[in-house]
Amino acid sequence: MGQFGMGQAVRRVEDLRLLTGNGRYTDDLSLPRQTVAHILRSPHAHAAIRSIDTAAAKAAPGVLGVFTAADLRADGIGDLPCLTPLTNVDGSPSVSPPRPALAEGKVRHVGDAVVLVIAETMAQARDAAELVEIDYDPLPAATDTATAGDPGQPQVWDEAAGNLCFDWAQGDEAGVAEAFAKAHRTVSIELVNNRLVVNSMEPRGAIGDFQKGDGRFVLYTSSQGPHLIRSQLAGTIFKVPEHRVRVVTQDVGGGFGMKIFLYPEHVLVAWAAKKVGRPVKWIAERQEAFLSDTQGRDNVTRADLALDAEGRFLGLRVETRANLGAYLSNFAPFIPTLAGTGMLAGVYTTPAIQVRVKGLFTHTTPIDAYRGAGRPEAAYLVERLADLAADALGLSPAEIRRRNFIPGSLMPFKTALGITYDSGEFRQNLEDALRMADWDGFEARRAASAKAGKLRGIGLSTYIEQCGGGEDEAATVRFDPSGSVTVLVGNQSNGQGHETAYAQIVADAFSVPFENVRVLQGDSDVVYFGRGTGGSRALPVGGSAVQKAVEKVIEKAKKVAAHMMETAAADVEFKDGVFQIAGTDRKVAIQEVVQAAFDPEALGGEIEPGLSEVAHFAPAGATFPNGCHVCELEIDGDTGEVEIVRYTVVDDFGRVVNPMMLAGQVHGGIAQGVGQALYEATVFDRDSGQLVSGSLMDYALPRADNLPMVEFAWNVVPCRNNPLGVKGSGEAGAIGAPPAVINAIVNALRHLGVTHVDMPATPQRIWSILQTAKQAA
């Protein structure tokens, strides 16, 4: 293994470009004769559109076109699809209402796109938008997750009675009933998993072009992979062969799941480019992003846990109401159901689990995947229940987990929800984290904090997630005649460091200089196939595809080397960049083999020139990263302000490719998890449906001084489901952090009789709890 091989803390090769301002984000791109798009959005959460008058806007200076849903329908433009419909408990299909790129007949959330204005400049487009006259008839709105399905609530869609999109269930109802019947003790909890605005550093953007010469739509956009967007634009929207749609993504400033999907703006700029005969550019402003980007979480859940006398989990019953927003985004039904409910088993042996999820439409921004996508919701629920159970039985949080862990000796282990964990040493993670965090010394630190007027708490959470599986990914690995290597892979970096990680795999395998490896992503004309980035698949699936392509190249190169050394390919071995005849000292270096591979005379016409191979990798199963978080914090008794003073995490991500980038992924995930636990809350006015937290003046993101240095360590338990032995790491921090933080807050307030605090645990919320306790004293 060389300096830049597998397992080495290689500095990210892409950082020089990005940190010096030489990145190529969507807004950096301008096409010849480019126009701009402005979208007039609904100011109402729910209203009938009585009429739209665009005449004055069309006549305004610089305006090239003003379009409504009627124009889309006239051109036969299709609706945005939901790709993950479900089957209800009664066998009927879930409700999938139409989603045109511009609102038709009604608007259903504040920010719903209504009119598209194309002009020479943004100022002209905005001025023209003010001339559009829309006659709205405002209607009552349903925005609250807990009550949207109640009788008498305003209806989002006529075809979804009671605002019910789906009623879905999984698990063993009879087994759970039996577990509760014989339980020594039961505990229950009702909790809210708060809605989040993603707030990627780079807002969404899209540039559409239509090439008249070959009749092709071209879309440049910030995404998590071009191919899914291309397939929908071609098949559902424009109804043309895929080769007539090209999607290009260059550098991306954060995605976190939100940039996976097809959005109305993708459709609009591509369609409008054909209508006006010129490229059309749209870049979201931050406030517009609050209204139009898919948002995350937003569940209300009740759960009950049955335990025996020794504190062992016997059965778990979970009922969730999941807010889907006004329209179904691509994967919306999948997120609160199949994406996350399987992880309600956690790292525990619970023999019977029953889950029921009702997906509800509301007059709010659509919901879809956000970092973790269902798994943070599951971990939060299970780990809050574990602490409640420990308290009820007089056990420590650590001890109740020890009694219920799945031991490593039982791996692979099939959970009560039918998911098979391939590997994991959960108790080891816990013990290491407790030692690193000095758990045993906490009470002394609590006493010291009390003398200073602070309430100190400590909390832990263990977690497991299912990721890095699913469908196949493809990669092409090819040598150039110069000896450099080009990698083409269907994932898309959003800032994770793909260019570095993939280059490490290739450099390590070939023993070629790290700087001689180039990674290409994001252009559907260049990379022929891809599933995109999501669910922490980049290394487990994309990296395995790269590894498989590398192995195929090596096999081809052995034939070339064998020809050069006049032997059989079966007798040639490859190690450390050298091809050698087994048992002899005859050998040739890889660079010599590469040169010969492009020389027909040297090959003697017996071997096809070149060294390039394509490989698909379909994982045998998912990966199951797991770990333990320990959070220690202080609460100011006068203000309710929380300060995290120590944070420890021990994870198992299987084989580690780059420790430095791994730590960055964990730190970033913890920051977002802490943000959900303490600061972030998407608030809609219950009467008007207006987004109250509609800008960074009202929506609190965690800042650098809100977060401590993180003590991070890992255990290596290789994954058995991919050849690299790696487990996905991109979402783990956001999964383990929220329950650890809330458990620590409850621990700090436990002496006041507090058993639960909903997220976000803001100073105001905690101060109110403290005041209530003082009044009761």
Side-chain angles (χ1 to χ4, degrees):
M1 178 174 61
Q3 181 182 359
F4 300 106
M6 294 277 284
Q8 302 300 301
V10 178
R11 298 180 70 89
R12 298 183 359 151
V13 68
E14 48 268 85
D15 283 352
L16 177 63
R17 178 180 80 251
L18 300 178
L19 295 176
T20 57
N22 291 297
R24 292 284 288 173
Y25 298 94
T26 303
D27 198 25
D28 292 322
L29 181 63
S30 293
L31 302 181
R33 303 176 63 245
Q34 178 176 279
T35 65
V36 297
H38 173 67
I39 298 171
L40 187 59
R41 299 182 181 277
S42 170
H44 303 287
H46 189 202
I49 302 173
R50 297 304 185 195
S51 65
I52 303 176
D53 186 348
T54 62
K58 289 178 178 176
V63 173
L64 301 171
V66 182
F67 305 106
T68 68
D71 298 300
L72 292 168
R73 290 294 181 217
D75 281 4
I77 303 303
D79 295 333
L80 281 73
C82 171
L83 302 177
T84 53
L86 296 175
T87 300
N88 294 316
V89 290
D90 63 3
S92 63
S94 56
V95 178
S96 293
R99 188 187 184 187
L102 293 172
E104 186 174 35
K106 283 184 177 182
V107 292
R108 290 179 167 85
H109 69 91
V110 174
D112 210 350
V114 181
V115 178
L116 174 69
V117 180
I118 310 298
E120 298 283 0
T121 69
M122 183 54 70
Q124 290 172 331
R126 290 181 180 279
D127 288 346
E130 292 184 3
L131 300 176
V132 176
E133 295 184 5
I134 305 177
D135 182 10
Y136 289 111
D137 181 10
L139 300 168
T143 61
D144 180 59
T145 307
T147 62
D150 292 352
Q153 284 291 303
Q155 295 295 287
V156 182
W157 296 97
D158 292 340
E159 57 265 50
N163 290 321
L164 185 68
C165 173
F166 61 80
D167 183 359
W168 178 91
Q170 181 183 35
D172 180 4
E173 183 176 1
V176 169
E178 182 182 349
F180 277 84
K182 67 181 182 182
H184 171 76
R185 187 70 182 266
T186 64
V187 294
S188 302
I189 192 169
E190 294 183 3
L191 51 79
V192 174
N193 211 286
N194 42 320
R195 179 186 283 236
L196 304 175
V197 175
V198 177
N199 273 308
S200 58
M201 185 175 290
E202 179 206 18
R204 286 191 301 116
I207 304 171
D209 192 15
F210 183 74
Q211 299 174 342
K212 292 183 180 179
D214 52 12
R216 298 187 80 206
F217 294 94
V218 181
L219 175 69
Y220 300 87
T221 188
S222 180
S223 80
Q224 291 179 226
H227 298 89
L228 179 65
I229 294 172
R230 181 185 67 172
S231 66
Q232 294 178 81
L233 287 174
T236 306
I237 304 301
F238 298 128
K239 305 174 183 67
V240 298
E242 282 199 16
H243 72 269
R244 285 184 51 193
V245 178
R246 178 189 180 194
V247 178
V248 181
T249 294
Q250 299 187 80
D251 289 320
V252 180
F256 311 112
M258 180 266 292
K259 291 181 181 174
I260 295 173
F261 321 114
L262 180 70
Y263 281 91
E265 294 84 4
H266 295 144
V267 177
L268 294 174
V269 296
W271 170 70
K274 182 178 181 182
K275 297 289 285 187
V276 304
R278 292 169 60 181
V280 176
K281 182 176 185 176
W282 170 82
I283 301 293
E285 294 188 349
R286 183 62 60 181
Q287 190 168 22
E288 191 175 15
F290 270 83
L291 297 173
S292 64
D293 293 352
T294 59
Q295 297 174 359
R297 316 289 193 242
D298 203 345
N299 295 341
V300 176
T301 299
R302 175 189 169 88
D304 304 282
L305 180 66
L307 303 103
D308 67 14
E310 285 73 43
R312 294 184 178 87
F313 302 163
L314 300 177
L316 173 64
R317 182 186 296 119
V318 180
E319 295 182 359
T320 291
R321 290 189 173 195
N323 196 334
L324 305 172
Y327 300 97
L328 293 183
S329 179
N330 280 166
F331 299 103
F334 177 73
I335 303 307
T337 56
L338 293 164
T341 55
M343 294 298 99
L344 287 168
V347 292
Y348 309 119
T349 57
T350 313
I353 302 174
Q354 178 191 0
V355 187
R356 188 160 187 174
V357 182
K358 293 184 178 181
L360 298 169
F361 291 110
T362 62
H363 293 104
T364 63
T365 305
I367 292 277
D368 211 314
Y370 171 67
R371 198 169 193 171
R375 286 96 76 196
E377 295 92 315
Y380 180 59
L381 172 63
V382 172
E383 291 304 295
R384 287 295 299 120
L385 271 176
D387 264 31
L388 285 172
D391 189 50
L393 292 172
L395 299 174
S396 72
E399 180 56 28
I400 199 164
R401 288 170 171 84
R402 291 186 187 106
R403 294 186 184 189
N404 287 282
F405 280 147
I406 301 165
S409 60
L410 293 184
M411 294 295 173
F413 181 87
K414 188 174 183 178
T415 72
L417 290 172
I419 294 176
T420 299
Y421 301 163
D422 71 295
S423 60
E425 294 288 347
F426 308 136
R427 180 160 183 165
Q428 186 65 56
N429 295 334
L430 172 71
E431 303 301 346
D432 289 353
L434 295 178
R435 175 181 48 78
M436 288 172 57
D438 187 21
W439 183 277
D440 292 341
F442 169 72
E443 290 302 331
R445 298 191 295 276
R446 192 203 291 269
S449 293
K451 291 180 180 179
K454 300 291 181 70
L455 303 172
R456 198 173 187 107
I458 193 167
L460 69 84
S461 70
T462 55
Y463 79 91
I464 188 168
E465 68 153 324
Q466 180 182 20
C467 65
E471 297 178 294
D472 62 329
E473 191 54 82
T476 301
V477 174
R478 68 179 186 228
F479 271 97
D480 302 323
S482 66
S484 61
V485 185
T486 299
V487 178
L488 297 90
V489 64
N491 297 124
Q492 175 61 51
S493 179
N494 318 141
Q496 301 96 326
H498 290 187
E499 293 176 47
T500 301
Y502 291 144
Q504 283 184 259
I505 293 172
V506 172
D508 186 80
F510 288 141
S511 294
V512 298
F514 175 78
E515 58 273 16
N516 285 6
V517 182
R518 180 180 62 151
V519 177
L520 299 180
Q521 298 176 295
D523 187 338
S524 64
D525 270 11
V526 176
V527 181
Y528 85 100
F529 177 89
R531 303 288 187 187
T533 291
S536 299
R537 300 177 76 248
L539 273 179
V541 187
S544 294
V546 171
Q547 177 68 23
K548 190 173 178 181
V550 163
E551 292 169 357
K552 291 174 72 174
V553 170
I554 290 173
E555 290 304 307
K556 169 73 178 294
K558 283 182 178 180
K559 296 178 182 179
V560 177
H563 182 81
M564 294 170 67
M565 295 185 288
E566 298 180 334
T567 189
D571 295 332
V572 176
E573 297 175 342
F574 177 71
K575 184 179 179 180
D576 297 332
V578 174
F579 294 88
Q580 186 169 358
I581 299 176
T584 76
D585 60 358
R586 295 180 62 192
K587 56 188 176 182
V588 288
I590 190 168
Q591 292 297 338
E592 298 175 76
V593 173
V594 171
Q595 291 176 4
F598 287 92
D599 183 352
E601 291 188 11
L603 297 176
E606 298 179 13
I607 302 172
E608 183 180 0
L611 284 177
S612 177
E613 295 289 346
V614 177
H616 283 246
F617 174 75
T623 73
F624 295 94
N626 57 87
C628 179
H629 290 230
V630 178
C631 175
E632 190 167 335
L633 50 77
E634 285 186 329
I635 298 174
D636 188 305
D638 294 325
T639 66
E641 185 173 357
V642 174
E643 179 185 6
I644 297 177
V645 295
R646 189 169 186 175
Y647 202 101
T648 306
V649 58
V650 176
D651 286 311
D652 163 22
F653 295 122
R655 187 182 180 197
V656 174
V657 174
N658 186 314
M660 184 187 301
M661 293 202 302
L662 178 64
Q665 286 290 300
V666 172
H667 293 168
I670 290 171
Q672 287 179 288
V674 168
Q676 179 174 13
L678 296 180
Y679 307 109
E680 299 184 49
T682 308
V683 180
F684 292 93
D685 182 84
R686 292 190 63 170
D687 294 326
S688 68
Q690 294 295 321
L691 180 59
V692 178
S693 54
S695 74
L696 291 174
M697 296 291 289
D698 306 297
Y699 185 96
L701 290 176
R703 302 184 180 188
D705 59 353
N706 298 133
L707 300 165
M709 296 299 292
V710 174
E711 297 178 76
F712 171 50
W714 64 88
N715 290 312
V716 177
V717 183
C719 177
R720 303 175 187 180
N721 289 334
N722 63 72
L724 295 175
V726 301
K727 302 176 183 180
S729 64
E731 297 158 295
I735 297 170
V741 174
I742 297 299
N743 284 344
I745 290 172
V746 172
N747 178 263
L749 302 176
R750 181 183 173 192
H751 66 288
L752 302 175
V754 174
T755 59
H756 181 65
V757 178
D758 267 326
M759 301 186 292
T762 61
Q764 180 183 17
R765 179 167 284 172
I766 294 178
W767 181 84
S768 297
I769 292 171
L770 293 171
Q771 296 307 304
T772 300
K774 288 179 181 178
Q775 293 169 8

